[in-house]
C-alpha cells in the first residue's frame, strides 16, 4: 500500500529534486579543490562541461543503463526475486503494486540519467579528454572510458540514494 500511495511518488521525486542543488554545490566546490591540488589526469569535476563532453555523455548512457539501474529496485528488499513474486491474490492489487514499483523505477531513471550525464561530462572535461580519444579504441582510451563510466555510475547512484553504503548495509543485515 505504501508504494501505491501517491505521496510515495511525490516524496521520491521531491527527494531527488532536493538533491540536485546539493550535488551541484558539491561538484562546484570539488572542482575548485581538484584544480588546486590534483593533477589533470586525476580530476573528476569541472565547473563547466564542454558541449562535446555533454553530447558524448548523453549518448553513452545507453551503454551503461543496465548497470546504472542496478538490475533491481531499491524499493524491493530482495530485488529480482521479489519482483517476480506474486504478493496479492487480487489481480487488480498485484497489477497496481507492480505498476507503482515500475513508475518509481522510471522516476529514478530520469534522475539517474541526469546525474550520470553530468558526472561523465564533467570528468571528461576535467581531464581534458576529447571524444575522439575516448572512441579511438586504443587500450588507454578504453581504460580511461571504463574508469570514467564507473565514476559517473557511482556518482549517479549516490545522488539518487541507490548506492551501497555502510549504513544501508547494516540496516539490511539487521532486517535479515
Amino acid at each position: 500500500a505504501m508504494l501505491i500511495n501517491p505521496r510515495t511518488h511525490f516524496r521520491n521525486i521531491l527527494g531527488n529534486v532536493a538533491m540536485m542543488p546539493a550535488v551541484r554545490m558539491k561538484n562546484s566546490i570539488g572542482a575548485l579543490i581538484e584544480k588546486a591540488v590534483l593533477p589533470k589526469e586525476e580530476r573528476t569535476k569541472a565547473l563547466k562541461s564542454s558541449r562535446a563532453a555533454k553530447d558524448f555523455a548523453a549518448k553513452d548512457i545507453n551503454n551503461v543503463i543496465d548497470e546504472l539501474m542496478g538490475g533491481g529496485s531499491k524499493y524491493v528488499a530482495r530485488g529480482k526475486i521479489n519482483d517476480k513474486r506474486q504478493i496479492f491474490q487480487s489481480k487488480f492489487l498485484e497489477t497496481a503494486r507492480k505498476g507503482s514499483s515500475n513508475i518509481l523505477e522510471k522516476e529514478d531513471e530520469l534522475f539517474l540519467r541526469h546525474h550520470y550525464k553530468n558526472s561523465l561530462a564533467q570528468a571528461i572535461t576535467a581531464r581534458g579528454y576529447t571524444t575522439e580519444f575516448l572512441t579511438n579504441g586504443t587500450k588507454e582510451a578504453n581504460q580511461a572510458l571504463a574508469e570514467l563510466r564507473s565514476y559517473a555510475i557511482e556518482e549517479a547512484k549516490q545522488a539518487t540514494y541507490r548506492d551501497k553504503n555502510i549504513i544501508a548495509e547494516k540496516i539490511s543485515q539487521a532486517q535479515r
Side-chain angles (χ1 to χ4, degrees):
M2 180 185 83
L3 294 180
I4 297 172
N5 191 329
R7 285 185 286 185
T8 301
H9 295 278
F10 177 75
R11 288 178 183 144
N12 183 45
I13 293 169
L14 186 63
N16 281 312
V17 168
M19 275 298 286
M20 292 174 89
V23 169
R24 193 173 299 120
M25 183 177 291
K26 173 193 75 108
N27 289 339
S28 296
I29 293 168
L32 295 172
I33 293 170
E34 284 183 3
K35 194 167 187 168
V37 300
L38 289 179
K40 194 171 194 170
E41 61 273 3
E42 293 180 25
R43 296 179 193 164
T44 57
K45 293 170 181 47
L47 290 175
K48 184 170 171 67
S49 301
S50 71
R51 171 56 45 203
K54 288 179 184 178
D55 292 343
F56 179 85
K59 292 176 189 166
D60 187 63
I61 195 154
N62 296 323
N63 297 315
V64 298
I65 192 66
D66 289 337
E67 187 178 353
L68 188 61
M69 293 300 293
S73 170
K74 74 178 182 184
Y75 304 101
V76 180
R78 305 225 194 264
K80 294 239 183 240
I81 294 170
N82 277 346
D83 287 348
K84 304 285 186 212
R85 279 182 54 204
Q86 180 175 342
I87 306 298
F88 298 109
Q89 296 298 323
S90 164
K91 194 171 190 168
F92 172 78
L93 288 176
E94 186 63 17
T95 301
R97 178 190 72 83
K98 286 184 177 181
S100 182
S101 290
N102 289 338
I103 291 169
L104 286 166
E105 285 296 304
K106 289 296 181 189
E107 292 165 3
D108 275 0
E109 184 179 339
L110 292 172
F111 291 97
L112 281 163
R113 284 176 176 272
H114 169 81
H115 290 296
Y116 175 82
K117 288 186 276 190
N118 284 343
S119 294
L120 184 61
Q122 281 187 36
I124 291 169
T125 303
R127 292 190 182 179
Y129 292 147
T130 63
T131 56
E132 291 80 19
F133 166 72
L134 293 173
T135 58
N136 73 17
T138 64
K139 184 178 179 181
E140 74 174 4
N142 291 341
Q143 185 176 351
L145 184 55
E147 184 181 323
L148 294 176
R149 282 176 173 161
S150 179
Y151 165 77
I153 287 167
E154 270 314 300
E155 287 292 301
K157 286 181 177 183
Q158 286 176 8
T160 55
Y161 311 103
R162 293 176 80 101
D163 62 324
K164 290 188 177 186
N165 59 54
I166 191 82
I167 295 169
E169 187 60 33
K170 292 296 179 191
I171 291 170
S172 182
Q173 286 174 353
Q175 286 176 337
R176 281 187 237 133

